[in-house]
C-alpha cells in the first residue's frame, strides 16, 4: 500500500453542531478571549484563524474541556458542555483531539495507539482505522519507526476510532514539510468530510484556512474580527486589520464622492462613501501593461499609474510583480506568465476591481 489516506469512511459518524456563546477567558490579569460567539454547523470544517497568541488554542482547549471559560457557554448539539454551573468532563464530550505534535505513546505500536481508549475487543474497529488511513502494513511499527506524516495519520485514526461527533485539530500539519503537509492535510480533510465529523481547526496559515474550511472565524486579540465563508472574508473583509491579515493586500489612499472612488490605480464605485478613504485591491485585480522606457505619468488617473518593476516572482503556473509607482507607492500584481515583466521594466498598472472601501 502507498500509505496514503483512503477517502472512504469506516462508518457513518454524526457530526455535532457547535455553538460558542459569549465565551471569555482570562489567565490572571490577561484576558485571552473576550465575548466570543460563533456557530460551527454539523459536519462542517470551521477554521479558527489568526496570528499566534490570539486565543485560538485556548478556545480549542475550552471546547475539549481542558479549560473552563470564565463566562459564556459552549454547546454541542444543544447540550451545554461548559457554562455557568455546568461542566461536562473531556471524556464524556464525544470529542477527538489531534495536537500539533502527534503525541503518540512511544512504547506502543500503531495498532495499540489507535486502540487506546477503546473497549476491549475492538480489533475490528482498529482494523477499520488502519485501512482508513492506509497504514495496515504498519500496524506493528512503533512511532519512532514512522515518518512525521505517518504519525499524524495514526493520531487522526486514534481520534476517529471512538466515532466522535467533533474533532479538534490544533495545527496538526504545521510541523511537516511543505509538500508532505499539503498531501496529509488534504487527505485528512477528505477523511473527515467522508465520515461527516464536525471539525474545528486551529491555524495561523491563511492559505490553509481558505483552501479547506467551510467557515472561517478570524480571531484578533481574543475577539472575533470577522466570521464567514472563506470567499466572503477574502473578498469583503470587515476592516483594514482583516484585509491586511487575509491574503496579500494593496491598500491605497483614495478619495470618494459618493459615486466613484479614485485611487492611483484608477476609479471604482464608491459604495456610498465620501471623503478620504482606503481601498483594497487584491493582486489578482491589478492589470499590468508594458510601456516604453520613456513613458511619463499622465494626469488622468482613470488610466492607472506608471511604475517600474522592482521584483519578479515566478510560481510556475503564474507569477507576481512588485511595482514601485512613480508616485512612490508600491503595489503587487498577480499576473500570467506572458505578463511577467523583467525587473527594471516600465509598466502601467491599474485596478480592474476594488474589493472593499474603508
Amino acid at each position: 500500500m502507498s500509505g496514503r489516506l483512503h477517502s472512504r469512511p469506516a462508518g457513518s459518524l454524526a457530526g455535532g453542531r457547535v455553538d460558542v456563546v459569549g465565551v471569555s477567558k482570562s489567565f490572571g490579569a490577561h484576558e485571552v478571549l473576550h465575548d466570543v460567539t460563533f456557530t460551527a454547523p454539523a459536519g462542517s470544517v470551521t477554521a479558527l484563524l489568526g496570528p499566534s497568541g490570539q486565543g485560538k488554542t485556548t478556545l480549542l482547549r475550552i471546547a475539549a474541556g481542558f479549560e473552563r471559560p470564565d463566562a459564556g457557554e459552549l454547546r454541542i448539539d444543544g447540550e451545554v458542555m461548559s457554562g455557568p454551573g455546568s461542566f461536562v468532563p473531556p471524556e464524556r464530550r464525544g470529542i477527538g483531539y489531534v495536537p500539533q505534535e502527534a503525541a503518540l505513546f512511544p512504547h506502543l505500536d500503531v495498532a495499540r495507539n489507535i486502540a487506546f481508549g477503546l473497549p476491549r475487543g475492538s480489533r475490528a474497529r482498529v482494523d477499520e482505522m488502519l485501512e482508513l488511513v492506509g497504514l495496515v502494513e504498519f500496524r506493528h511499527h512503533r512511532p519512532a519507526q514512522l515518518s512525521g506524516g505517518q504519525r499524524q495519520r495514526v493520531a487522526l485514526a486514534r481520534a476517529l476510532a471512538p466515532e466522535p461527533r467533533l474533532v479538534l485539530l490544533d495545527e496538526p500539519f504545521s510541523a511537516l514539510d511543505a509538500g508532505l503537509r499539503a498531501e496529509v492535510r488534504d487527505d485528512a480533510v477528505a477523511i473527515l468530510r467522508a465520515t461527516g465529523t464536525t471539525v474545528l481547526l486551529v491555524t495561523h496559515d491563511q492559505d490553509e484556512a481558505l483552501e479547506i474550511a467551510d467557515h472561517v472565524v478570524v480571531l484578533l486579540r481574543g475577539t472575533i474580527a470577522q466570521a464567514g465563508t472563506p470567499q466572503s472574508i477574502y473578498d469583503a473583509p470587515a476592516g483594514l486589520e482583516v484585509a491586511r491579515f487575509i491574503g496579500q493586500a494593496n491598500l491605497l489612499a483614495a478619495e470618494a464622492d459618493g459615486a466613484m472612488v479614485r485611487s492611483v490605480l484608477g476609479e471604482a464605485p464608491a459604495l456610498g462613501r465620501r471623503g478620504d478613504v482606503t481601498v483594497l485591491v487584491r493582486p489578482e485585480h491589478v492589470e499590468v501593461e508594458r510601456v516604453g522606457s520613456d513613458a511619463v505619468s499622465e494626469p488622468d488617473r482613470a488610466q492607472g499609474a506608471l511604475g517600474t518593476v522592482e521584483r519578479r516572482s515566478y510560481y510556475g503556473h503564474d507569477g507576481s510583480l512588485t511595482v514601485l509607482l512613480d508616485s512612490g507607492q508600491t503595489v503587487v500584481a498577480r499576473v500570467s506568465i506572458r505578463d511577467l515583466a523583467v525587473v527594471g521594466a516600465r509598466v502601467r498598472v491599474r485596478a480592474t476591481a476594488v474589493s472593499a472601501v474603508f
Side-chain angles (χ1 to χ4, degrees), residues 8 42 45 72 118 134 143 177 231 246 264 275 281 319 326 328 337 356:
R8 61 175 181 79
V45 176
L118 293 177
D177 64 71
Q231 183 175 352
I246 302 295
V264 69
V281 180
D326 293 350
I337 298 300

Side-chain angles (χ1 to χ4, degrees), residues 25-32 70:
K25 178 68 178 178
S26 296
F27 294 103
H30 178 53
E31 188 176 45
V32 179
D70 299 329

